[in-house]
Amino acid sequence: MSNALDNQYQPSIIEQAIYQSWEANNAFAAREAESAYCIVIPPPNVTGSLHMGHAFQDTVMDLLTRYHRMKGDQTLWQVGTDHAGIATQMVVERRLAADNISRHDLGREKFIEKIWEWKAESGGTITRQLRRMGAAIDWNRERFTMDDGLSEAVEEVFVRLYEDGLIYRGKRLVNWDPVLHTAVSDLEVESLEENGSLWHLRYPLSDDPSSHLIVATTRPETLLGDAAVAVNPDDERYRHLIGKTVDLPLTGRKIPIVGDEHADPEFGSGCVKITPAHDFNDYEVGKRQGLDLINVLDINACIDLDGSPYHGMDRFAARKKIVSDLDQAGLLDSIKDHKLMVPRGDRTGSVIEPYLTDQWYVKVEPLAKEAIKVVEDGDIKFVPENWSNTYFNWMNDIQDWCISRQIWWGHRIPAWYDQHGNVFVARTAEEAQSKAGPDAILEQDEDVLDTWFSSALWPFSTLGWPEKTPEFDKYYPTNVLVTGFDIIFFWVARMIMFGLKFTGQVPFKEVYIHGLVRDLEGDKMSKSKGNVLDPIDLIDGIELEALVEKRTKGLMQPKMAAKIEKQTRKQFPNGIEAYGTDALRFTFASQATLGRDIRFDLTRVESYRNFCNKLWNASRYVLMNTEGKDCGQVEATVKLSLADKWIISRLQQVEKEAVEQIENYRFDQLAQSLYSFVWDEYCSWYVELTKIVLNDENATDAQLRGTRRTLVRVLESTLRLLHPIMPFITEALWQEVKPLAAVEGDTIMNCVYPLYDESKIDQQAIEDMTWVQSVITSVRNIRGEMNISPGKALPILVQGASPKEASNIELHSDYLTKFGRFESMSMLTDSDQAPESATALVGDMRLLIPLGSFIDANAEISRLSKELEKAERDIAGVSGRLSNKAFVDKAPEAVIAKAQQQLDDAESAKFTLLEQIERMQAFLEND
């Protein structure tokens, strides 16, 4: 027995030690090779932590990286983190607020220093967690979006786009967070359905104040910025009013009635107030109609109208006051309950305002044309392919991109203004001064760039661009991007546009889109729902009290915290067990079905931890029976048993399947194939069958050598097949097995991924072994259903055996009698009168177990009746297909012939089963 393998599989002991060894030996550094393979990680927030979505996609990326490394490619999984402008600034501001300090108290420079300090303090959390997940990353190449090199790339791209007329500054509507005081991207806005009101207001006609139009609105406070009332030009009720004006209530202004298709005759009264400075749809109407942009809010979302009685009021306080004043003026027609989608900032929870400000924009339409073409032409492929439709839908209706943010943390916009308001875009302050002239007094723009701007450069900026580096030449374009569908718009598309613009090449050749990791009920994991699982907790385990504290920490509402605590205690009364990294990774792989979200089930993780145990114990058996013994490491005569030939043949088939499944991103099928091979074939059958040879005192040296060699070689190949999914356990076991299998190397990750050898497939051995399994399994099923002890040797009578089957019984009698626990196997002719027996069918051959004290005839009738029901279902199903004219006309002849054979087999089985049921019933009557 190997002293290196513990009696029990303990991932906590092996995993961290193995990873530290890999990293200490620089095992992740790319090896020189003719072909290269590169994946860039979607950079997580530098101050963030690993969540289930990260863990899932990191498992996929690591699987691909390890596979291609073993395939012989020079691999690079480019890792790094994102500075996450708004998120990181918010964290630091909250920390300062605890000491009653604001960023404005510190000033910009000191505040940025505080953020760098926080980054140094907490920035390593997620990279430590990536190591726990087994990520095969060359950490020497780790990048950060605000590294000097990446910052240089950002400045270069901004300047070039500006010089090409693709970046401009303009006053437009943006999503404005009145708490953060910055524009935010669509991705940072969550629109949630909430209960609200729909106010119907009267707008008097200017030429006939006794008449009025009724407009419906969910935001009465924006009335102060109305520029028009729109009606549909095809609406006969109002067509005659187009061109006239109404008196805008509470303002003393007159605004025009315009005809625009934006007005829906079926909604409300068919009249719509148009507020171009405070609604995105109204903004477009305003552009079409040439309306004024009247901004009535400030950066705090308070009314900003000098001389107005509402000046300085919060928007919601102003709403109440305006509604009250309209009511007193007789201009409030009605108020109705109304459900509406309310946009809220995902970080502050505040209601987002469409807000008119000066911002920097990228003119994206010219960039989008080429980005659409490369996907249409197949230069970039989406997996699954249907996600390309999502990509096209957005790209064909693309809007200019607001890239400026009114915060301090991030890449400061490389633009300087002189005392006259002229702008000078340059790579450095010195270059800007040179453009402006010696007399100009320059101040740099206060804004920073949207985080997505620097992320859009990630595939090439991390490889040294704008310099022409060896890494860029070797790894660009990268091979595949692994990401979620939710950022196709915001990241994937922008990387494609910028990659084409600045390198002339696509940034990646394939985009593998994975689903969301949800809880078992299909709900999105969120802290407010109390259903978040931390992947590290699943790896290491966590006690109940610690889990409760983690799930309720930071929840402001006591009722919610109490609810989540109760829910957690009920769901995890004993906390969460330690499952280890390999079991978690195998769970992710098994659920990586193309195009589907993942319903994460802890019972699966437990099942795959059991799988790790199975593999560990099988390896201990192999080592126990091979260490210090002749395993055919050197050329010597070997004699392979049927089981040896069969498992070698099945290994080749599984090797072929595995390569195809990885290449086609069918990681779920890969996991299933390997699980079934290891558990159902290698462990449950082959390992058990080897005991017949290894325990046989009469076995020859050639037989023993053949079985030992097959045991270790198949195990060694299987470990290599499993390694991309389960890196730790396979490394630990491979180190023990490699000398017995006569292989060399310092680590399994540098071994060749197994490739099938067709010449090693013995089809006859597969057929014979499948037959042996069918015979043994059929008898096992009877044992189980009749509650017969697995160890009890049974006399088997055989009737209806073909010559081939009779030969198989003789050739493989050792397997059948010793492994199947058959006391004997006696052949009956068709004319022999068989005793009353429990019967199993293997093709046309009948296996009879004579009834006796260990047979329950009633149970046997019940079992046969179930088989009869199945045979009748099969007959009905196949008959239905064969009677379907469309199927018969279109199906290939081979398919029809196969269906006919299935029908014949099912009808034959039905006839035999009916006979057996009658015999059992007769046995009961005569007993």
Side-chain angles (χ1 to χ4, degrees):
M1 167 60 70
S2 170
N3 294 322
L5 286 189
D6 290 340
N7 290 342
Q8 290 185 322
Y9 163 63
Q10 300 183 70
S12 60
I13 293 176
I14 68 169
E15 289 182 352
Q16 294 198 55
I18 286 174
Y19 196 92
Q20 289 166 8
S21 173
W22 281 335
E23 194 168 355
N25 293 315
N26 203 26
F28 302 131
R31 298 173 299 162
E32 284 294 328
E34 290 185 11
S35 58
Y37 185 85
C38 181
I39 301 177
V40 293
I41 195 172
N45 290 0
V46 66
T47 58
S49 61
L50 201 68
H51 58 61
M52 292 294 278
H54 287 138
F56 172 67
Q57 72 178 15
D58 292 340
T59 295
V60 170
M61 286 185 280
D62 193 54
L63 188 162
L64 288 168
T65 302
R66 288 178 181 272
Y67 165 72
H68 278 276
R69 184 187 186 97
M70 297 176 78
K71 194 178 168 187
D73 294 331
Q74 185 171 333
T75 58
L76 171 63
W77 180 12
Q78 179 59 59
V79 72
T81 48
D82 191 281
H83 64 281
I86 293 175
T88 303
Q89 178 161 318
M90 276 190 67
V91 170
V92 176
E93 286 198 77
R94 285 172 182 161
R95 285 166 60 90
L96 292 172
D99 296 325
N100 294 317
I101 300 172
S102 75
R103 62 179 164 120
H104 299 286
D105 295 332
L106 293 177
R108 184 170 194 140
E109 189 175 330
K110 293 289 186 183
F111 179 69
I112 297 299
E113 288 178 8
K114 289 290 184 184
I115 294 182
W116 280 107
E117 289 173 10
W118 169 241
K119 188 250 181 189
E121 179 183 332
S122 66
T125 299
I126 203 158
T127 55
R128 285 193 297 273
Q129 292 172 329
L130 276 169
R131 287 172 166 89
R132 295 302 314 282
M133 287 296 300
I137 289 169
D138 184 354
W139 293 102
N140 295 318
R141 291 196 50 80
E142 183 180 355
R143 305 306 299 269
F144 176 51
T145 48
M146 287 187 66
D147 285 348
D148 289 343
L150 273 67
S151 296
E152 180 187 343
V154 168
E155 291 161 355
E156 184 68 24
V157 165
F158 188 97
V159 172
R160 288 196 201 178
L161 288 173
Y162 181 80
E163 291 174 348
D164 289 346
L166 295 175
I167 280 185
Y168 65 93
R169 185 166 171 80
K171 187 181 288 290
R172 293 180 54 180
L173 282 192
V174 296
N175 296 311
W176 185 264
D177 190 314
V179 174
L180 291 176
H181 292 167
T182 182
V184 295
S185 72
D186 291 342
L187 191 63
E188 294 158 321
V189 178
E190 293 181 343
S191 291
L192 305 172
E193 186 176 74
E194 299 182 15
N195 293 321
S197 299
L198 190 64
W199 289 271
H200 291 76
L201 313 179
R202 297 180 179 131
Y203 282 31
L205 294 172
S206 298
D207 60 1
D208 182 9
S210 63
S211 299
H212 53 263
L213 296 180
I214 295 178
V215 298
T217 181
T218 58
R219 305 185 64 212
E221 68 278 10
T222 62
L223 168 154
L224 302 173
D226 282 2
V229 171
V231 298
N232 194 294
D234 295 328
D235 192 335
E236 294 181 358
R237 294 174 296 174
Y238 306 116
R239 186 186 299 160
H240 65 288
L241 297 177
I242 295 173
K244 293 189 175 186
T245 63
V246 293
D247 293 334
L248 182 62
L250 310 180
T251 67
R253 288 195 289 116
K254 297 182 186 300
I255 58 175
I257 301 170
V258 299
D260 197 278
E261 292 183 353
H262 171 63
D264 181 0
E266 304 298 322
F267 180 77
S269 66
C271 303
V272 184
K273 61 191 287 299
I274 304 299
T275 319
H278 295 287
D279 183 277
F280 288 104
N281 290 322
D282 291 3
Y283 179 78
E284 296 301 322
V285 175
K287 285 200 297 185
R288 289 194 294 269
Q289 301 291 339
L291 302 176
D292 293 335
L293 297 170
I294 305 168
N295 192 357
V296 299
L297 296 176
D298 63 15
I299 62 172
N300 298 302
C302 294
I303 303 299
D304 185 20
L305 284 174
D306 288 337
S308 168
Y310 311 107
H311 180 73
M313 294 180 69
D314 174 79
R315 55 186 161 167
F316 299 119
R319 175 182 294 178
K320 291 180 180 179
K321 176 64 174 167
I322 287 170
V323 169
S324 174
D325 290 348
L326 287 168
D327 191 20
Q328 289 184 13
L331 298 177
L332 179 63
D333 187 77
S334 63
I335 305 174
K336 297 179 180 178
D337 292 337
H338 179 67
K339 287 188 179 296
L340 70 161
M341 300 302 291
V342 178
R344 292 186 178 271
D346 65 349
R347 294 183 177 87
T348 62
S350 63
V351 176
I352 295 296
E353 282 292 341
Y355 186 60
L356 190 67
T357 64
D358 285 315
Q359 302 284 347
W360 288 93
Y361 291 89
V362 174
K363 191 183 296 182
V364 290
E365 188 176 359
L367 300 171
K369 290 178 181 177
E370 281 300 310
I372 292 170
K373 186 174 185 298
V374 292
V375 177
E376 288 177 337
D377 292 348
D379 298 323
I380 295 177
K381 295 178 181 178
F382 280 82
V383 182
E385 194 278 332
N386 62 288
W387 285 111
S388 62
N389 296 326
T390 304
Y391 173 81
F392 290 137
N393 289 341
W394 186 69
M395 294 294 280
N396 285 314
D397 189 32
I398 199 166
Q399 305 295 316
D400 286 356
W401 172 19
C402 176
I403 56 171
S404 46
R405 297 290 180 267
Q406 290 67 54
I407 58 176
W408 288 352
W409 173 242
H411 295 101
R412 195 164 175 182
I413 287 176
W416 285 259
Y417 303 92
D418 66 12
Q419 60 269 43
H420 308 296
N422 300 310
V423 64
F424 302 92
V425 170
R427 294 164 182 81
T428 63
E430 293 73 21
E431 184 182 333
Q433 191 71 59
S434 174
K435 289 182 176 182
D439 297 331
I441 302 172
L442 298 181
E443 288 188 13
Q444 188 173 356
D445 197 303
E446 291 289 320
D447 289 353
V448 300
L449 286 164
D450 177 12
T451 299
W452 294 106
F453 190 92
S454 51
S455 297
L457 319 183
W458 188 249
F460 56 90
S461 64
T462 52
L463 297 175
W465 188 94
E467 300 297 325
K468 193 71 171 172
T469 64
E471 290 83 3
F472 181 89
D473 291 339
K474 188 76 175 178
Y475 295 112
Y476 194 87
T478 66
N479 293 78
V480 62
L481 178 75
V482 177
T483 190
F485 65 84
D486 51 335
I487 54 176
I488 291 176
F489 307 149
F490 304 99
W491 191 44
V492 178
R494 288 164 178 168
M495 283 190 288
I496 295 173
M497 289 189 286
F498 278 14
L500 290 169
K501 171 69 175 174
F502 293 102
T503 73
Q505 302 178 75
V506 296
F508 28 73
K509 297 162 191 173
E510 293 182 303
V511 183
Y512 173 79
I513 300 293
H514 62 75
L516 296 176
V517 181
R518 300 181 179 273
D519 70 10
L520 190 56
E521 305 304 317
D523 292 328
K524 187 175 180 180
M525 290 188 181
S526 69
K527 189 169 179 62
S528 62
K529 290 181 179 178
N531 61 353
V532 171
L533 289 170
D534 184 332
I536 304 302
D537 290 343
L538 301 183
I539 292 170
D540 291 339
I542 184 170
E543 294 181 355
L544 175 61
E545 296 306 322
L547 181 61
V548 168
E549 182 182 0
K550 177 182 281 192
R551 286 191 160 190
T552 56
K553 187 177 182 180
L555 294 175
M556 305 302 292
Q557 300 176 20
K559 285 186 178 179
M560 179 183 290
K563 177 185 174 183
I564 290 173
E565 178 177 353
K566 182 180 179 182
Q567 169 182 315
T568 302
R569 291 184 182 280
K570 181 179 179 182
Q571 187 178 4
F572 304 104
N574 300 312
I576 295 177
E577 294 181 53
Y579 296 110
T581 301
D582 289 322
L584 178 60
R585 286 172 59 119
F586 205 94
T587 304
F588 285 132
S590 73
Q591 294 189 281
T593 305
L594 285 180
R596 295 184 187 174
D597 287 351
I598 292 171
R599 291 195 176 199
F600 194 83
D601 184 356
L602 265 182
T603 59
R604 276 181 173 261
V605 194
E606 183 176 5
S607 169
Y608 293 128
R609 183 191 57 189
N610 295 341
F611 177 61
C612 292
N613 285 331
K614 191 78 168 178
L615 181 63
W616 187 269
N617 291 331
S619 300
R620 292 183 69 245
Y621 167 83
V622 172
L623 293 169
M624 179 175 66
N625 284 280
T626 56
E627 281 187 320
K629 297 174 183 176
D630 184 358
C631 298
Q633 292 100 327
V634 295
E635 289 301 321
T637 302
V638 297
K639 185 173 181 181
L640 300 180
S641 67
L642 171 64
D644 296 334
K645 295 173 185 176
W646 165 73
I647 199 67
I648 292 169
S649 299
R650 285 292 300 127
L651 175 65
Q652 306 313 307
Q653 294 174 329
V654 171
E655 287 172 351
K656 183 178 182 182
E657 290 171 9
V659 170
E660 291 173 348
Q661 288 155 349
I662 295 175
E663 298 284 355
N664 291 312
Y665 300 101
R666 291 311 307 261
F667 309 117
D668 55 333
Q669 294 178 355
L670 171 70
Q672 180 55 46
S673 293
L674 297 180
Y675 180 94
S676 179
F677 177 73
V678 171
W679 191 295
D680 300 332
E681 297 182 282
Y682 185 78
C683 295
S684 297
W685 284 95
Y686 178 67
V687 165
E688 295 302 317
L689 289 171
T690 62
K691 295 175 182 178
I692 295 172
V693 175
L694 298 178
N695 296 333
D696 186 353
E697 295 179 356
N698 298 317
T700 66
D701 288 344
Q703 288 175 314
L704 293 169
R705 191 182 297 119
T707 294
R708 291 185 192 126
R709 189 176 77 174
T710 304
L711 268 173
V712 295
R713 288 190 178 183
V714 172
L715 176 58
E716 192 274 337
S717 294
T718 301
L719 294 173
R720 284 185 281 131
L721 284 171
L722 285 165
H723 177 72
I725 308 181
M726 306 167 74
F728 292 115
I729 190 171
T730 52
E731 179 74 270
L733 296 175
W734 183 83
Q735 292 292 345
E736 300 301 313
V737 171
K738 70 174 181 177
L740 301 170
V743 294
E744 296 180 355
D746 54 350
T747 170
I748 191 174
M749 75 171 71
N750 289 336
C751 292
V752 175
Y753 197 76
L755 294 175
Y756 92 108
D757 183 346
E758 192 170 2
S759 68
K760 293 182 179 179
I761 297 179
D762 186 330
Q763 195 60 44
Q764 189 60 55
I766 293 175
E767 292 175 9
D768 287 355
M769 192 64 209
T770 301
W771 181 87
V772 169
Q773 290 173 315
S774 298
V775 171
I776 293 174
T777 301
S778 296
V779 175
R780 280 180 176 174
N781 290 340
I782 293 177
R783 285 182 187 275
E785 292 165 7
M786 306 297 289
N787 200 26
I788 303 170
S789 168
K792 184 176 183 61
L794 298 175
I796 309 295
L797 303 178
V798 181
Q799 198 169 47
S802 68
K804 170 63 176 170
E805 289 168 326
S807 174
N808 279 343
I809 290 172
E810 184 177 349
L811 283 171
H812 310 307
S813 60
D814 267 7
Y815 291 157
L816 298 172
T817 57
K818 295 179 181 178
F819 187 53
R821 300 296 294 166
F822 298 175
E823 181 183 275
S824 61
M825 292 191 77
S826 304
M827 306 293 291
L828 297 180
T829 66
D830 290 339
S831 60
D832 288 339
Q833 182 65 41
E836 299 302 329
S837 305
T839 304
L841 294 175
V842 178
D844 290 330
M845 183 177 72
R846 294 182 296 282
L847 302 176
L848 311 177
I849 304 176
L851 295 176
S853 59
F854 55 83
I855 292 289
D856 183 337
N858 285 311
E860 177 63 359
I861 290 173
S862 175
R863 184 186 71 82
L864 290 169
S865 297
K866 290 177 183 177
E867 288 200 24
L868 179 62
E869 289 174 7
K870 179 181 181 302
E872 288 174 335
R873 286 197 302 271
D874 291 343
I875 290 169
V878 180
S879 296
R881 280 196 293 157
L882 290 172
S883 62
N884 184 332
K885 189 173 183 300
F887 170 74
V888 174
D889 290 345
K890 294 180 181 179
E893 288 184 13
V895 173
I896 296 173
K898 184 178 180 181
Q900 186 61 56
Q901 184 60 53
Q902 289 173 337
L903 179 59
D904 293 344
D905 291 345
E907 288 178 336
S908 175
K910 176 182 177 181
F911 178 78
T912 302
L913 289 164
L914 285 169
E915 275 190 336
Q916 296 306 314
I917 290 172
E918 288 178 10
R919 292 175 65 189
M920 287 296 103
Q921 289 171 338
F923 175 81
L924 284 174
E925 291 171 2
N926 297 326
D927 188 23

